Amino acid sequence: MCRTTGAPEPAGTGDEPSTDAVFTALLEDSAEDLYESAPCGYLSTMMDGTIAKINSTLLDWLGLDRAEVVGRKRFPDLLTVGGKLYHETHFAPLLRMQGELRGIALEMRRADGGRLPVLVSAVLKRGSGGDPLLTRITVFDASDRRAYEEELLRRRKEAERARAEADEARRQAEADRARLADALAVLQKSLVPDSLPVVPGLETAVHYHTASPDQLGGDFYDLFPVDGNRWAFFLGDVCGKGPEAASLTSLTRYTLRAAAHHDPEPASALATLNAVLHERYTAGGDPRYCTCIFGIAEPGGPDGSVTVRIASGGHPSALVLRAGGGADFLPTPGGLLVGVLPRAPIGKAETVLAPGDTMVLYTDGLTEARLGPGRDDLYGEDALLAFAAERAPASPREVISALTGLLRGFGDGLDDDTALLALGAPATDGPARTGPTSGSAS
């Protein structure tokens, strides 16, 4: 090919002579130099293992002199005790049988007493008649490989140990969680009655849903006699969760019981509770409060009716299902959270439960159950009223059963404790029925 000017291109670059000289110099290395200075160890042994030839590389690695090795030592003499054993039991027999071995891991002894991990390949040189004459052995330094393998092994052991420790920690955590759940369940039961008493002329039913088995709930309820034919009942919700809420729940429950025996008037009982909570907590700079409905039920009316008087401190209105169908709330306007102010306003209401009527008290876990992913998409009081109206008339046991099914239907949307207490006048002349205490930990 010619340039565009028509002048011929040069045949070379001018560097060929110098390049050829470099290659020539490399090719002039003697085979002996290549043998002695190879990057691996070479040695040849007689058939009895006596070393006939060894290169400088291997001598340097082992810290030995040629004169003390050639003709004086056998190949196994260069190995550690374990290496000698392996050579005699495996290496030598396999080599005689196969005529060749590759990449056998052994350890050689240094003159200073140290060990040199090596990979050994060997081949038998045979004469024209096929008889073995000598053994040629190649030795590669495996120190870096051994260090790498040991590091991998160390990391593997560390990972296995860490995994074992994690498994043990998980098992311990699960055991601790189970013990905690058992302890919390026992403590939770101590904060509400195991069962409701049988009240002549009054049907009752109750349900308690615990949102989390890992936390103490703050909802509470009770039903107990005060005097003659009057029965006190209450249901409420304290602020917070955990041990502090449990302490507040216990104080609230026993304060209301004591107050009711001193003065069973509902508003007076809540006023006493308000004074106790405000003095104990709020006045000391640690405000704690609750919502609560406290009531007095007087069964045994001439027609089997039950007179109910209630007082409320900031609690959701009671719900009444009528024997003739339909439902409505029993408003207690003006009531304020119990324990916030020294003298909190208290809402009051009164009603008569005719035979077949049922009154339901509930905590806000029911109406604030989430129907969707948003925090504002809540079940609400209107939906609860419609739900109750569709099922009226219903006995306390039937109402609680229906509401329990409703709670289950909320699934993960029910993320707060919920207490339900239903009181009703029996629809027939049969004996009063009391629903058993029930609960869930979903």
Side-chain angles (χ1 to χ4, degrees), residues 31-44 51 53-67 69-70 116 139:
E32 187 66 24
D33 285 341
L34 291 175
Y35 178 84
E36 291 294 340
S37 302
C40 60
Y42 288 125
L43 70 158
S44 301
I51 298 172
K53 190 174 183 179
I54 186 169
N55 73 342
S56 298
T57 301
L58 186 53
L59 290 171
D60 291 342
W61 287 352
L62 300 179
L64 298 175
D65 293 328
R66 194 181 305 274
V69 174
V70 175
L116 176 68
V139 180

Side-chain angles (χ1 to χ4, degrees), residues 113-389:
R115 297 185 175 193
L116 176 68
V118 294
L119 292 176
V120 176
S121 295
V123 62
L124 292 179
K125 179 181 178 181
R126 299 181 183 274
S128 58
D131 295 330
L133 301 178
L134 56 84
T135 303
R136 288 174 176 166
I137 300 174
T138 305
V139 180
F140 293 92
D141 186 349
S143 300
D144 291 342
R145 174 172 173 170
R146 175 68 61 83
Y148 175 71
E149 291 174 346
E150 290 176 348
E151 178 66 13
L152 286 180
L153 181 59
R154 184 181 66 82
R155 294 290 180 88
R156 179 179 178 180
K157 290 181 178 179
E158 289 178 353
E160 291 175 349
R161 183 167 58 251
R163 184 166 56 250
E165 291 174 353
D167 290 343
E168 177 60 27
R170 183 171 59 254
R171 286 192 293 270
Q172 185 62 44
E174 291 173 353
D176 291 344
R177 181 188 177 98
R179 286 194 294 271
L180 176 61
D182 291 342
L184 291 179
V186 172
L187 183 54
Q188 186 75 66
K189 289 181 178 179
S190 71
L191 300 176
V192 293
D194 291 334
S195 59
L196 298 181
V198 176
V199 182
L202 185 68
E203 291 184 353
T204 62
V206 68
H207 175 78
Y208 192 103
H209 166 84
T210 302
S212 171
D214 299 330
Q215 285 189 322
L216 289 169
D219 293 2
F220 58 91
Y221 61 85
D222 208 344
L223 172 67
F224 54 95
V226 285
D227 58 34
N229 194 40
R230 293 189 296 179
W231 289 77
F233 62 90
F234 57 78
L235 179 142
D237 183 5
V238 304
C239 64
K241 299 284 185 184
E244 293 178 345
S247 175
L248 180 57
T249 299
S250 179
L251 175 62
T252 298
R253 182 183 175 196
Y254 289 108
T255 297
L256 287 175
R257 272 183 162 263
H261 286 289
H262 176 71
D263 184 353
E265 180 63 31
S268 297
L270 284 189
T272 299
L273 176 63
N274 183 81
V276 170
L277 295 186
H278 187 272
E279 180 182 357
R280 174 74 176 271
Y281 296 105
T282 306
D286 182 22
R288 297 189 180 278
Y289 53 86
C290 71
T291 66
C292 183
I293 284 185
F294 184 97
I296 293 293
E298 297 183 53
D303 56 352
S305 62
V306 178
T307 301
V308 177
R309 291 179 294 113
I310 61 173
S312 174
H315 199 82
S317 298
L319 181 64
V320 180
L321 287 71
R322 296 300 180 182
D328 53 61
F329 287 114
L330 183 61
T332 48
L336 187 66
L337 296 174
V338 180
V340 174
L341 300 177
R343 296 181 181 276
I346 296 171
K348 294 182 286 185
E350 182 173 340
T351 189
V352 174
L353 300 179
D357 288 351
T358 296
M359 183 174 69
V360 181
L361 308 182
Y362 55 92
T363 55
D364 58 11
L366 171 58
T367 53
E368 294 182 0
R370 291 181 289 105
L371 302 179
R375 297 299 303 177
D376 297 329
D377 193 9
L378 305 180
Y379 183 64
E381 292 184 348
D382 291 342
L384 175 61
L385 181 61
F387 180 88

Side-chain angles (χ1 to χ4, degrees), residues 393-438:
S395 68
R397 186 190 298 270
E398 293 168 340
V399 173
I400 294 301
S401 178
L403 290 175
T404 300
L406 177 64
L407 293 177
R408 285 196 298 267
F410 291 136
D412 294 338
L414 187 62
D415 51 12
D416 194 9
D417 301 327
T418 304
L420 306 171
L421 175 62
L423 311 171
T428 65
D429 294 334
R433 293 170 293 169
T434 299
T437 299
S438 61

